[in-house]
Amino acid sequence: MAVKIEKGVPLPAHLYERVEIGPLPLKEMKVGDSIVVEADTQRELERKLKALRMRLLRFSKKSPHYKFRVAKEIDKSGTHLRIWRVSRAG
């Protein structure tokens, strides 16, 4: 089967609308510490939640002695995500 190069095919929106989280101080966190990640909209919150879970999964594979939990929190200032370092795994 021959592979044909196609020009001018637009990239699907879900591939270029990446969510930006920025650097996280995961290695500096001690058990019981937490950090907050803000989001402006509900859609951004859901996308950041998914991205954070993937980032934590990759981080934990490289550093298996770190274990985290992520949850949505609702308070006076709105909805945001919080990451806790819960224990030393292993």
Side-chain angles (χ1 to χ4, degrees):
M1 176 178 142
V3 177
K4 182 174 92 173
I5 297 174
E6 298 178 1
K7 301 204 183 288
V9 178
L11 188 65
H14 72 276
L15 294 178
Y16 67 81
E17 290 180 0
R18 297 280 178 174
V19 68
E20 185 63 39
I21 298 170
L24 298 173
L26 300 177
K27 284 196 177 227
E28 292 81 26
M29 292 177 72
K30 307 271 188 258
V31 174
D33 290 351
S34 67
I35 55 176
V36 173
V37 176
E38 302 289 342
D40 295 329
T41 65
Q42 185 65 29
R43 181 172 186 261
E44 182 184 15
L45 184 84
E46 295 299 329
R47 294 178 74 215
K48 282 188 175 185
L49 178 61
K50 184 177 178 181
L52 280 170
R53 286 182 172 150
M54 288 305 300
R55 184 182 288 189
L56 293 173
L57 178 66
R58 286 191 306 270
F59 181 84
S60 294
K61 284 186 176 184
K62 290 180 182 178
S63 304
H65 54 283
Y66 286 85
K67 194 170 185 179
F68 299 94
R69 292 286 183 264
V70 181
K72 295 181 213 175
E73 284 192 332
I74 302 171
D75 62 14
K76 295 179 277 194
S77 63
T79 305
H80 52 268
L81 301 170
R82 185 172 293 275
I83 303 169
W84 289 269
R85 177 151 181 221
V86 293
S87 69
R88 277 188 82 85

Coordinates of all heavy atoms in Angstrom, one line a residue:
M1 N 0.8 -1.2 0.0 CA 0.0 0.0 0.0 C 0.9 1.2 0.0 O 1.8 1.4 0.8 CB -0.9 0.0 1.3 CG -1.7 1.2 1.4 SD -2.7 1.0 2.9 CE -2.7 2.7 3.4
A2 N 0.6 2.1 -0.9 CA 1.4 3.4 -1.0 C 0.8 4.4 0.0 O -0.4 4.5 0.1 CB 1.4 3.9 -2.4
V3 N 1.7 5.1 0.6 CA 1.2 6.2 1.5 C 1.3 7.5 0.8 O 2.3 7.9 0.2 CB 2.1 6.3 2.8 CG1 1.7 7.4 3.7 CG2 2.1 4.9 3.5
K4 N 0.2 8.3 0.8 CA 0.1 9.5 0.0 C 0.2 10.7 1.0 O -0.4 10.7 2.1 CB -1.2 9.6 -0.7 CG -1.4 10.8 -1.5 CD -2.7 10.7 -2.4 CE -3.8 11.3 -1.5 NZ -5.1 11.4 -2.3
I5 N 1.0 11.7 0.7 CA 1.1 12.9 1.5 C 0.0 13.8 1.1 O -0.2 14.1 -0.1 CB 2.5 13.6 1.3 CG1 3.6 12.7 1.7 CG2 2.5 15.0 2.0 CD1 5.0 13.2 1.4
E6 N -0.7 14.3 2.1 CA -1.9 15.2 1.8 C -1.5 16.6 2.4 O -1.0 16.7 3.5 CB -3.1 14.7 2.5 CG -3.6 13.3 1.9 CD -4.8 12.8 2.6 OE1 -5.4 13.5 3.5 OE2 -5.2 11.7 2.2
K7 N -1.9 17.6 1.7 CA -1.6 19.0 2.1 C -2.9 19.7 2.4 O -3.9 19.4 1.9 CB -0.9 19.7 1.0 CG 0.5 19.0 0.6 CD 1.4 20.0 0.0 CE 2.7 19.4 -0.5 NZ 3.6 18.9 0.6
G8 N -2.8 20.6 3.4 CA -3.9 21.5 3.7 C -5.0 20.8 4.6 O -6.1 21.4 4.7
V9 N -4.8 19.7 5.2 CA -5.7 19.0 6.1 C -5.6 19.7 7.4 O -4.5 19.6 8.1 CB -5.5 17.5 6.1 CG1 -6.5 16.9 7.1 CG2 -5.6 16.9 4.8
P10 N -6.7 20.3 7.9 CA -6.6 21.0 9.2 C -6.5 20.0 10.4 O -7.0 18.9 10.4 CB -7.9 21.8 9.3 CG -8.8 21.1 8.4 CD -8.0 20.5 7.3
L11 N -5.7 20.4 11.4 CA -5.5 19.7 12.6 C -6.8 19.7 13.4 O -7.4 20.8 13.6 CB -4.4 20.3 13.4 CG -3.9 19.5 14.6 CD1 -3.3 18.2 14.3 CD2 -2.8 20.3 15.4
P12 N -7.4 18.6 13.9 CA -8.6 18.7 14.7 C -8.4 19.5 16.0 O -7.3 19.6 16.6 CB -8.8 17.2 15.1 CG -8.0 16.4 14.1 CD -6.9 17.3 13.7
A13 N -9.4 20.2 16.3 CA -9.4 21.2 17.4 C -8.9 20.6 18.7 O -8.1 21.2 19.5 CB -10.7 21.8 17.7
H14 N -9.3 19.3 19.0 CA -8.9 18.7 20.3 C -7.4 18.5 20.4 O -6.8 18.2 21.5 CB -9.7 17.5 20.6 CG -9.3 16.3 19.7 ND1 -9.8 16.1 18.4 CD2 -8.4 15.3 19.9 CE1 -9.3 15.0 17.9 NE2 -8.4 14.5 18.8
L15 N -6.7 18.5 19.3 CA -5.2 18.3 19.3 C -4.4 19.6 19.5 O -3.3 19.5 20.0 CB -4.8 17.6 18.0 CG -5.3 16.2 17.8 CD1 -4.8 15.6 16.5 CD2 -4.9 15.3 18.9
Y16 N -5.0 20.7 19.1 CA -4.2 21.9 19.3 C -4.7 22.8 20.4 O -4.1 23.8 20.8 CB -4.1 22.7 18.0 CG -5.3 23.3 17.4 CD1 -5.8 24.5 17.9 CD2 -6.0 22.7 16.4 CE1 -7.0 25.1 17.4 CE2 -7.2 23.3 15.9 CZ -7.6 24.5 16.4 OH -8.8 25.0 15.9
E17 N -5.8 22.4 21.0 CA -6.3 23.2 22.2 C -5.8 22.5 23.4 O -6.6 22.1 24.3 CB -7.8 23.2 22.1 CG -8.4 24.1 21.0 CD -9.9 24.1 21.0 OE1 -10.5 23.5 21.9 OE2 -10.5 24.8 20.2
R18 N -4.6 22.3 23.6 CA -4.0 21.7 24.7 C -4.2 22.6 26.0 O -4.1 23.8 25.9 CB -2.5 21.4 24.6 CG -2.2 20.5 23.4 CD -2.4 19.1 23.9 NE -2.1 18.2 22.8 CZ -2.1 16.9 22.9 NH1 -2.3 16.4 24.1 NH2 -1.9 16.1 21.9
V19 N -4.4 22.0 27.1 CA -4.6 22.7 28.3 C -3.2 23.0 28.9 O -2.3 22.1 28.9 CB -5.5 21.9 29.3 CG1 -4.8 20.7 29.8 CG2 -5.9 22.8 30.4
E20 N -3.0 24.2 29.4 CA -1.7 24.5 30.0 C -1.8 24.5 31.5 O -2.6 25.2 32.1 CB -1.3 25.9 29.5 CG 0.1 26.4 29.9 CD 1.2 25.5 29.4 OE1 1.2 25.1 28.2 OE2 2.2 25.2 30.1
I21 N -0.9 23.7 32.1 CA -0.9 23.6 33.6 C 0.3 24.3 34.2 O 0.2 24.9 35.2 CB -1.0 22.2 34.0 CG1 -2.3 21.5 33.6 CG2 -0.9 22.0 35.5 CD1 -2.4 20.1 33.7
G22 N 1.4 24.2 33.5 CA 2.6 24.8 34.0 C 3.4 23.8 34.9 O 2.9 22.7 35.2
P23 N 4.5 24.2 35.4 CA 5.3 23.3 36.3 C 4.6 23.2 37.7 O 4.0 24.1 38.2 CB 6.6 24.1 36.5 CG 6.3 25.5 36.1 CD 5.2 25.5 35.2
L24 N 4.7 22.0 38.2 CA 4.2 21.6 39.5 C 5.3 21.2 40.4 O 6.2 20.4 40.0 CB 3.1 20.5 39.4 CG 1.9 20.8 38.5 CD1 1.1 19.6 38.4 CD2 1.1 21.9 39.2
P25 N 5.3 21.6 41.7 CA 6.3 21.3 42.6 C 6.1 19.9 43.3 O 6.2 19.7 44.5 CB 6.2 22.4 43.7 CG 4.8 22.7 43.7 CD 4.3 22.5 42.3
L26 N 5.9 18.9 42.5 CA 5.6 17.5 43.0 C 6.7 16.9 43.8 O 6.5 16.3 44.8 CB 5.2 16.6 41.8 CG 4.0 17.0 41.0 CD1 3.8 16.1 39.8 CD2 2.8 17.2 41.8
K27 N 8.0 17.1 43.4 CA 9.1 16.5 44.1 C 9.3 17.2 45.5 O 9.8 16.5 46.4 CB 10.4 16.5 43.3 CG 10.4 15.5 42.2 CD 11.8 15.3 41.7 CE 11.7 14.2 40.6 NZ 12.8 13.3 40.8
E28 N 8.9 18.4 45.6 CA 9.1 19.2 46.8 C 8.0 18.9 47.9 O 8.1 19.3 49.0 CB 9.2 20.7 46.6 CG 10.4 21.1 45.8 CD 10.3 20.9 44.3 OE1 9.2 20.9 43.8 OE2 11.4 20.7 43.7
M29 N 6.9 18.3 47.4 CA 5.8 18.1 48.3 C 6.1 17.0 49.3 O 6.6 15.9 49.0 CB 4.5 17.7 47.5 CG 4.0 18.9 46.7 SD 2.6 18.4 45.7 CE 1.3 18.2 46.9
K30 N 5.7 17.2 50.6 CA 5.7 16.2 51.6 C 4.4 15.6 51.8 O 3.3 16.2 51.4 CB 6.2 16.9 52.9 CG 7.5 17.7 52.8 CD 8.6 16.8 53.1 CE 9.9 17.6 53.2 NZ 10.7 17.6 52.0
V31 N 4.3 14.4 52.5 CA 3.0 13.8 52.7 C 2.1 14.8 53.5 O 2.6 15.4 54.5 CB 3.2 12.5 53.5 CG1 1.9 11.9 53.9 CG2 4.0 11.5 52.7
G32 N 0.9 15.0 53.1 CA 0.0 15.9 53.7 C -0.1 17.2 53.0 O -1.0 18.0 53.2
D33 N 0.9 17.6 52.2 CA 0.9 18.8 51.5 C -0.1 18.8 50.3 O -0.4 17.7 49.8 CB 2.3 19.1 50.9 CG 3.3 19.5 51.9 OD1 3.0 19.7 53.1 OD2 4.5 19.6 51.6
S34 N -0.6 20.0 49.9 CA -1.5 20.0 48.8 C -1.2 21.3 48.0 O -0.6 22.3 48.5 CB -2.9 20.0 49.2 OG -3.3 21.2 49.9
I35 N -1.6 21.3 46.7 CA -1.5 22.5 45.9 C -2.8 22.7 45.1 O -3.6 21.7 45.0 CB -0.3 22.4 44.9 CG1 -0.4 21.1 44.0 CG2 1.0 22.5 45.6 CD1 0.6 21.0 43.0
V36 N -3.1 23.9 44.7 CA -4.4 24.2 44.1 C -4.0 24.6 42.6 O -3.1 25.3 42.3 CB -5.1 25.4 44.7 CG1 -6.3 25.9 43.9 CG2 -5.5 25.0 46.1
V37 N -4.9 24.1 41.7 CA -4.8 24.4 40.3 C -6.1 25.1 39.9 O -7.2 24.5 40.1 CB -4.5 23.2 39.4 CG1 -4.6 23.6 37.9 CG2 -3.2 22.5 39.8
E38 N -6.1 26.4 39.5 CA -7.3 27.1 39.2 C -7.7 26.9 37.7 O -6.9 26.5 36.9 CB -7.0 28.6 39.3 CG -6.5 29.0 40.7 CD -7.6 28.9 41.8 OE1 -8.8 28.9 41.4 OE2 -7.3 28.9 42.9
A39 N -9.0 27.1 37.5 CA -9.6 27.0 36.1 C -10.7 28.0 36.0 O -11.4 28.3 37.0 CB -10.2 25.6 35.9
D40 N -10.8 28.6 34.9 CA -11.8 29.7 34.6 C -13.2 29.2 34.3 O -14.2 29.9 34.6 CB -11.3 30.7 33.5 CG -10.0 31.4 33.9 OD1 -9.8 31.7 35.2 OD2 -9.2 31.7 33.1
T41 N -13.3 28.1 33.6 CA -14.6 27.6 33.2 C -14.7 26.1 33.6 O -13.7 25.4 33.9 CB -14.7 27.7 31.7 OG1 -13.8 26.8 31.0 CG2 -14.6 29.1 31.2
Q42 N -15.9 25.6 33.6 CA -16.1 24.2 33.9 C -15.4 23.3 32.9 O -14.9 22.3 33.2 CB -17.6 23.9 33.9 CG -18.0 22.5 34.3 CD -17.6 22.2 35.8 OE1 -17.6 23.1 36.6 NE2 -17.3 21.0 36.1
R43 N -15.4 23.7 31.6 CA -14.8 22.9 30.5 C -13.3 22.8 30.8 O -12.6 21.8 30.7 CB -15.0 23.5 29.2 CG -14.4 22.7 28.0 CD -14.9 23.2 26.7 NE -14.4 22.4 25.6 CZ -13.3 22.7 24.9 NH1 -12.6 23.8 25.1 NH2 -12.9 21.9 24.0
E44 N -12.7 24.0 31.1 CA -11.3 24.0 31.4 C -10.9 23.2 32.7 O -9.9 22.5 32.7 CB -10.8 25.5 31.7 CG -9.3 25.6 31.9 CD -8.9 27.0 32.2 OE1 -9.7 27.9 32.5 OE2 -7.7 27.2 32.2
L45 N -11.8 23.2 33.7 CA -11.6 22.4 34.9 C -11.6 20.9 34.6 O -10.7 20.2 35.0 CB -12.8 22.7 35.9 CG -12.7 22.0 37.2 CD1 -11.8 22.8 38.1 CD2 -14.0 21.9 37.8
E46 N -12.5 20.5 33.7 CA -12.6 19.0 33.4 C -11.3 18.7 32.6 O -10.8 17.6 32.8 CB -13.8 18.7 32.6 CG -15.1 18.9 33.4 CD -15.2 18.0 34.6 OE1 -14.6 16.9 34.5 OE2 -15.8 18.4 35.6
R47 N -10.9 19.5 31.7 CA -9.7 19.2 30.9 C -8.4 19.2 31.7 O -7.6 18.4 31.5 CB -9.6 20.3 29.7 CG -10.8 20.1 28.7 CD -10.7 21.1 27.6 NE -9.7 20.7 26.7 CZ -8.9 21.6 26.1 NH1 -9.1 22.9 26.2 NH2 -8.0 21.2 25.3
K48 N -8.4 20.2 32.7 CA -7.2 20.2 33.5 C -7.2 19.0 34.5 O -6.1 18.4 34.8 CB -7.2 21.5 34.4 CG -6.7 22.7 33.6 CD -6.5 23.9 34.5 CE -5.8 25.0 33.6 NZ -5.5 26.2 34.5
L49 N -8.4 18.5 34.9 CA -8.4 17.4 35.8 C -7.9 16.1 35.0 O -7.1 15.4 35.6 CB -9.9 17.1 36.2 CG -10.1 15.9 37.0 CD1 -9.4 15.9 38.4 CD2 -11.6 15.7 37.3
K50 N -8.3 16.0 33.8 CA -7.8 14.8 33.0 C -6.3 15.0 32.8 O -5.5 14.0 32.9 CB -8.5 14.8 31.6 CG -8.2 13.7 30.8 CD -9.0 13.7 29.5 CE -8.6 12.5 28.6 NZ -9.4 12.5 27.4
A51 N -5.8 16.2 32.4 CA -4.4 16.4 32.2 C -3.6 16.2 33.5 O -2.5 15.6 33.4 CB -4.2 17.8 31.6
L52 N -4.1 16.6 34.6 CA -3.4 16.4 35.9 C -3.3 14.9 36.2 O -2.2 14.5 36.7 CB -4.1 17.2 37.0 CG -3.8 18.6 37.1 CD1 -4.7 19.3 38.1 CD2 -2.4 18.9 37.5
R53 N -4.3 14.2 36.0 CA -4.3 12.8 36.3 C -3.2 12.1 35.5 O -2.5 11.2 36.0 CB -5.7 12.2 36.1 CG -6.6 12.5 37.3 CD -8.0 11.9 37.1 NE -8.8 12.1 38.3 CZ -10.1 12.2 38.3 NH1 -10.7 12.1 37.2 NH2 -10.7 12.5 39.4
M54 N -3.2 12.4 34.2 CA -2.2 11.8 33.3 C -0.8 12.2 33.7 O 0.2 11.4 33.8 CB -2.4 12.2 31.9 CG -3.6 11.6 31.2 SD -3.6 9.7 31.4 CE -2.1 9.4 30.5
R55 N -0.6 13.5 34.1 CA 0.8 14.0 34.5 C 1.2 13.2 35.8 O 2.3 12.8 35.9 CB 0.8 15.5 34.8 CG 2.2 15.9 35.1 CD 2.3 17.4 35.4 NE 2.2 18.2 34.2 CZ 2.4 19.5 34.2 NH1 2.8 20.1 35.3 NH2 2.3 20.2 33.1
L56 N 0.3 13.1 36.8 CA 0.6 12.4 38.0 C 0.9 10.9 37.8 O 1.8 10.3 38.4 CB -0.5 12.6 39.0 CG -0.7 14.0 39.5 CD1 -2.0 14.1 40.4 CD2 0.5 14.5 40.3
L57 N 0.2 10.3 36.8 CA 0.4 8.9 36.5 C 1.8 8.8 35.9 O 2.6 7.9 36.4 CB -0.6 8.4 35.5 CG -0.4 7.0 35.0 CD1 -0.7 6.0 36.2 CD2 -1.4 6.7 33.9
R58 N 2.2 9.6 35.0 CA 3.6 9.6 34.4 C 4.6 9.8 35.5 O 5.7 9.2 35.5 CB 3.7 10.6 33.3 CG 3.0 10.1 32.0 CD 3.3 11.0 30.8 NE 3.1 12.4 31.0 CZ 2.0 13.1 30.8 NH1 1.0 12.4 30.3 NH2 1.9 14.4 31.0
F59 N 4.4 10.8 36.3 CA 5.3 11.2 37.4 C 5.5 10.0 38.3 O 6.6 9.7 38.7 CB 4.8 12.4 38.2 CG 5.8 12.8 39.3 CD1 6.9 13.6 39.0 CD2 5.6 12.4 40.6 CE1 7.7 14.0 40.0 CE2 6.4 12.8 41.6 CZ 7.5 13.6 41.3
S60 N 4.4 9.3 38.7 CA 4.5 8.2 39.7 C 5.2 7.0 39.1 O 5.8 6.2 39.8 CB 3.1 7.8 40.1 OG 2.5 8.9 40.9
K61 N 5.1 6.9 37.7 CA 5.9 5.8 37.1 C 7.4 6.0 37.2 O 8.1 5.1 37.3 CB 5.4 5.6 35.7 CG 4.1 4.9 35.6 CD 3.7 4.6 34.1 CE 2.4 3.8 34.1 NZ 2.0 3.4 32.7
K62 N 7.8 7.3 37.0 CA 9.2 7.6 37.1 C 9.7 7.7 38.6 O 10.8 7.4 38.8 CB 9.4 9.0 36.5 CG 9.3 8.9 35.0 CD 9.6 10.3 34.4 CE 9.4 10.3 32.9 NZ 9.6 11.6 32.3
S63 N 8.8 8.0 39.5 CA 9.1 8.2 40.9 C 8.1 7.4 41.7 O 7.1 8.0 42.3 CB 9.1 9.6 41.3 OG 10.0 10.4 40.6
P64 N 8.2 6.1 41.8 CA 7.1 5.2 42.3 C 6.9 5.4 43.8 O 5.9 5.0 44.4 CB 7.6 3.8 42.0 CG 9.0 3.9 41.7 CD 9.3 5.3 41.2
H65 N 7.8 6.1 44.5 CA 7.6 6.3 46.0 C 6.7 7.5 46.3 O 6.5 7.9 47.4 CB 9.0 6.4 46.7 CG 9.9 7.5 46.1 ND1 10.6 7.2 44.9 CD2 10.2 8.7 46.5 CE1 11.3 8.3 44.6 NE2 11.1 9.2 45.5
Y66 N 6.2 8.2 45.2 CA 5.3 9.3 45.4 C 3.9 8.8 45.1 O 3.6 8.2 44.1 CB 5.6 10.5 44.5 CG 6.8 11.3 44.9 CD1 8.1 10.8 44.5 CD2 6.7 12.4 45.7 CE1 9.2 11.5 44.9 CE2 7.8 13.1 46.0 CZ 9.1 12.7 45.7 OH 10.2 13.4 46.0
K67 N 2.9 9.2 45.9 CA 1.5 8.9 45.7 C 0.6 10.1 45.9 O 0.8 10.8 46.9 CB 1.1 7.8 46.6 CG -0.2 7.1 46.3 CD -0.4 5.9 47.2 CE -1.6 5.1 46.7 NZ -1.8 3.9 47.6
F68 N -0.3 10.4 44.9 CA -1.1 11.6 45.0 C -2.6 11.3 44.8 O -2.9 10.2 44.3 CB -0.7 12.6 43.8 CG 0.8 13.0 43.9 CD1 1.8 12.3 43.2 CD2 1.1 14.1 44.7 CE1 3.1 12.7 43.3 CE2 2.4 14.5 44.7 CZ 3.4 13.9 44.0
R69 N -3.4 12.3 45.2 CA -4.8 12.3 44.9 C -5.2 13.6 44.4 O -4.7 14.6 44.8 CB -5.6 12.0 46.2 CG -5.5 10.6 46.8 CD -6.2 9.6 45.9 NE -6.1 8.3 46.5 CZ -5.2 7.4 46.2 NH1 -4.4 7.6 45.3 NH2 -5.2 6.2 46.7
V70 N -6.2 13.6 43.4 CA -6.7 14.9 42.8 C -8.2 14.9 43.0 O -8.8 13.9 42.9 CB -6.4 14.9 41.3 CG1 -6.9 16.2 40.7 CG2 -4.9 14.7 41.1
A71 N -8.7 16.1 43.4 CA -10.2 16.2 43.5 C -10.6 17.6 43.2 O -9.8 18.6 43.3 CB -10.6 15.9 45.0
K72 N -11.9 17.8 42.8 CA -12.4 19.1 42.6 C -12.9 19.6 44.0 O -13.4 18.8 44.8 CB -13.7 19.0 41.7 CG -13.4 18.6 40.3 CD -14.8 18.6 39.6 CE -14.8 17.5 38.6 NZ -16.1 17.4 37.9
E73 N -12.7 20.9 44.2 CA -13.1 21.5 45.4 C -14.0 22.7 45.0 O -13.7 23.4 44.1 CB -12.0 22.0 46.3 CG -11.2 21.0 47.0 CD -10.3 21.6 48.0 OE1 -9.8 22.7 47.8 OE2 -10.0 20.9 49.0
I74 N -15.1 22.9 45.8 CA -16.0 24.0 45.6 C -16.0 24.9 46.9 O -16.2 24.3 47.9 CB -17.4 23.6 45.2 CG1 -17.3 22.7 44.0 CG2 -18.3 24.8 45.0 CD1 -18.6 22.0 43.6
D75 N -15.7 26.1 46.7 CA -15.7 27.0 47.9 C -16.2 28.4 47.5 O -16.7 28.6 46.3 CB -14.4 27.1 48.6 CG -13.3 27.7 47.8 OD1 -13.6 28.3 46.7 OD2 -12.1 27.5 48.1
K76 N -16.1 29.4 48.3 CA -16.6 30.8 48.0 C -16.0 31.3 46.7 O -16.6 32.0 46.0 CB -16.3 31.7 49.2 CG -17.0 31.4 50.4 CD -16.6 32.4 51.5 CE -15.3 31.9 52.1 NZ -14.9 32.6 53.3
S77 N -14.7 31.0 46.5 CA -14.0 31.6 45.3 C -14.3 30.8 44.0 O -13.9 31.2 43.0 CB -12.5 31.6 45.6 OG -12.0 30.3 45.7
G78 N -15.0 29.7 44.1 CA -15.4 29.0 42.9 C -14.9 27.5 42.9 O -14.6 27.0 44.0
T79 N -14.8 26.9 41.8 CA -14.3 25.5 41.7 C -12.9 25.5 41.2 O -12.5 26.2 40.3 CB -15.2 24.7 40.7 OG1 -16.6 24.9 41.1 CG2 -14.9 23.3 40.7
H80 N -12.1 24.7 41.9 CA -10.7 24.5 41.5 C -10.3 23.0 41.8 O -11.1 22.3 42.3 CB -9.8 25.5 42.3 CG -10.0 25.4 43.7 ND1 -10.8 26.3 44.4 CD2 -9.4 24.6 44.7 CE1 -10.8 26.0 45.7 NE2 -9.9 25.0 45.9
L81 N -9.1 22.7 41.4 CA -8.6 21.3 41.6 C -7.5 21.4 42.7 O -6.8 22.3 42.8 CB -8.0 20.8 40.3 CG -8.9 20.7 39.1 CD1 -8.1 20.4 37.9 CD2 -10.0 19.7 39.4
R82 N -7.5 20.4 43.5 CA -6.5 20.3 44.6 C -5.8 18.9 44.4 O -6.4 17.9 44.2 CB -7.1 20.4 45.9 CG -6.0 20.5 47.0 CD -6.6 20.8 48.4 NE -7.1 22.1 48.5 CZ -6.4 23.2 48.8 NH1 -5.1 23.1 49.0 NH2 -7.0 24.4 48.9
I83 N -4.5 19.0 44.5 CA -3.6 17.8 44.5 C -3.0 17.6 45.9 O -2.4 18.5 46.4 CB -2.5 17.9 43.5 CG1 -3.0 18.2 42.1 CG2 -1.6 16.6 43.4 CD1 -2.0 18.6 41.1
W84 N -3.2 16.4 46.4 CA -2.6 16.1 47.7 C -1.5 15.0 47.5 O -1.7 14.1 46.8 CB -3.6 15.5 48.7 CG -4.6 16.4 49.2 CD1 -4.5 17.1 50.4 CD2 -5.9 16.7 48.7 NE1 -5.7 17.8 50.6 CE2 -6.6 17.6 49.5 CE3 -6.6 16.2 47.5 CZ2 -7.8 18.0 49.3 CZ3 -7.8 16.7 47.3 CH2 -8.5 17.6 48.2
R85 N -0.4 15.1 48.3 CA 0.5 14.0 48.4 C 0.0 13.2 49.6 O 0.0 13.7 50.7 CB 1.9 14.5 48.6 CG 2.8 13.3 48.7 CD 4.2 13.5 48.3 NE 5.0 12.2 48.5 CZ 6.2 12.2 48.9 NH1 6.9 13.3 49.2 NH2 6.8 11.0 49.1
V86 N -0.4 12.0 49.3 CA -1.1 11.2 50.4 C -0.2 10.3 51.1 O -0.4 10.0 52.3 CB -2.3 10.4 49.8 CG1 -3.4 11.4 49.4 CG2 -1.9 9.5 48.7
S87 N 0.8 9.7 50.5 CA 1.7 8.7 51.3 C 2.9 8.4 50.4 O 3.0 8.7 49.3 CB 0.9 7.5 51.6 OG 0.6 6.7 50.5
R88 N 3.8 7.7 51.1 CA 4.9 7.1 50.4 C 4.5 5.8 50.0 O 4.2 4.9 50.8 CB 6.1 7.1 51.3 CG 7.0 8.3 51.3 CD 8.3 8.0 52.1 NE 9.3 7.5 51.3 CZ 10.1 8.2 50.5 NH1 10.0 9.4 50.4 NH2 11.1 7.5 49.8
A89 N 4.4 5.5 48.7 CA 4.0 4.2 48.2 C 5.3 3.3 48.3 O 6.4 3.7 48.1 CB 3.6 4.3 46.7
G90 N 5.0 2.1 48.6 CA 6.1 1.1 48.7 C 6.9 1.1 49.9 O 7.4 1.5 50.7

